[in-house]
Amino acid sequence: MDAGLYVVATPIGNLEDITQRAIAVLRGADVIAAEDTRHSARLLAAHGIEVPLSAYHEHSDEHAAGKLLDRVAQGAAVALISDAGTPLISDPGYRLVRAAQERGLAVVPVPGACAAVAALSASGLPTDRFQFEGFLPPRQVARQNRLRELEGVPATLVFYEAPHRVQECLADLVTVFGREREAVLARELSKTFETIRRAPLFELSEFVSADPDQRRGEIVLLVAGAPARETDVDEASARWLRRLARDMPAKAAAQIAADVTGLRKKALYEFLVAERGGTD
Ligand code: SAM
């Protein structure tokens, strides 16, 4: 196998969710860098892979990264895996990948399972735009502050959440996003108790409060993006507006664009001013 750092996705539950290529790469690697070597030993045993494991986790220092990359530089194939899913997605590996690139070493992705993408694919929420947020802050004040920043994002939001915090997280989502915003609880994906439930936030919150089983296992929460506001200027109108504003004052451009598009003159004018950094 060619020398390089191979970033290999492993299952998020069901042990069969691993690609043939991932198995071949793991089998052919000289060393497998794993977040938790005991945990990963079980996966490797299940697939009959006997390759030495080396610990690489969140707290690994530059020295550990340097040693792994020295091996790549000497011609080795090093595979990076995490406890579940795709490394670097709410998992360690970012600094290792950067360091490998900086040393001119090959970094090869071996794609596969990722809880965020699996949840999105079966959520029933729009997937044309989504924003991955990973874990929210554990404390309520910080969590609500972060949610306030996200309240107007017009894309499906994807969160990872610990089971013991899902109830309070849903309560905060109701507080900040309102009762009616659609959301999805995607729990234990690919496992025996897989649950995918789409409902308005307050219903989802009640569902989780009423049933302790919904507060167990591994959880992805998805929240529909903010609805478009009436004053939002769509891309076609924005093009009109920008073109007109090249040849006339902003107010006149906004008036003509309002006549043509049916949007409010004030909204169009404010859009132009905002685009110009607040100056007319
Ligand atoms: N790297 C992983 C990935 O590609 O999804 C994520 C690792 S992160 C440390 C672990 C979190 O991912 C869990 O707390 C949970 O939020 C989510 N997760 C992982 N496996 C899951 C599953 N089978 N069902 C639902 N969520 C899962």
Side-chain angles (χ1 to χ4, degrees):
M1 208 159 90
D2 288 345
L5 174 66
Y6 292 79
V7 184
V8 184
T10 58
I12 56 167
N14 188 323
L15 281 192
E16 290 182 14
D17 287 337
I18 184 162
T19 68
Q20 294 188 14
R21 180 171 171 232
I23 293 173
V25 167
L26 292 175
R27 199 164 273 148
D30 297 294
V31 59
I32 299 175
E35 207 183 343
D36 176 341
T37 51
R38 272 201 308 187
H39 174 95
S40 294
R42 287 194 289 276
L43 171 79
L44 300 181
H47 292 285
I49 296 167
E50 290 176 3
V51 169
L53 280 161
S54 165
Y56 184 81
H57 45 73
E58 208 181 341
H59 305 292
S60 292
D61 53 17
E62 272 177 41
H63 180 67
K67 268 173 61 179
L68 283 170
L69 297 181
D70 285 347
R71 294 200 56 178
V72 178
Q74 288 154 14
V78 173
L80 173 69
I81 59 175
S82 58
D83 285 353
T86 302
L88 280 82
I89 306 301
S90 290
D91 266 335
Y94 165 71
R95 280 181 297 140
L96 187 64
V97 166
R98 293 274 296 197
Q101 289 173 338
E102 275 154 23
R103 288 176 65 166
L105 303 171
V107 178
V108 185
V110 183
C114 173
V117 174
L120 269 168
S121 71
S123 68
L125 292 177
T127 51
D128 52 337
R129 286 184 74 185
F130 62 87
Q131 185 162 315
F132 177 66
E133 282 293 318
F135 290 95
L136 282 162
R139 293 191 186 280
Q140 190 183 48
V141 173
R143 186 168 54 230
Q144 288 199 0
N145 285 342
R146 179 78 193 114
L147 290 177
R148 276 190 202 99
E149 289 169 8
L150 298 172
E151 198 262 326
V153 173
T156 297
L157 299 170
V158 185
F159 302 100
Y160 285 166
E161 194 47 282
H164 61 278
R165 272 198 290 268
V166 65
Q167 200 172 353
E168 37 186 285
C169 177
L170 278 165
D172 285 349
L173 281 163
V174 171
T175 303
V176 178
F177 288 66
R179 290 163 54 89
E180 301 299 334
R181 183 89 73 98
E182 217 178 32
V184 171
L185 174 80
R187 198 175 66 82
E188 292 289 87
L189 295 170
S190 78
K191 302 191 228 178
T192 310
F193 296 106
E194 180 175 88
T195 308
I196 300 168
R197 191 179 181 96
R198 177 162 56 82
L201 270 170
F202 81 98
E203 265 183 55
L204 212 53
S205 176
E206 283 176 0
F207 172 67
V208 167
S209 301
D211 180 1
D213 283 344
Q214 302 306 329
R215 285 172 255 145
R216 295 190 212 286
E218 298 194 281
I219 296 168
V220 183
L221 282 176
L222 305 98
V223 183
R229 281 180 306 225
E230 261 179 44
T231 54
D232 278 351
V233 176
D234 60 277
E235 198 41 51
S237 306
R239 275 203 299 275
W240 260 104
L241 198 54
R242 289 188 195 107
R243 177 64 193 84
L244 291 167
R246 288 219 301 266
D247 294 336
M248 61 187 76
K251 278 203 175 107
Q255 181 61 66
I256 296 175
D259 292 345
V260 174
T261 63
L263 294 172
R264 287 188 313 120
K265 178 184 165 193
K266 185 165 181 282
L268 293 163
Y269 175 72
E270 282 169 359
F271 176 85
L272 265 185
V273 172
E275 280 217 325
R276 291 171 175 182
T279 52
D280 193 337

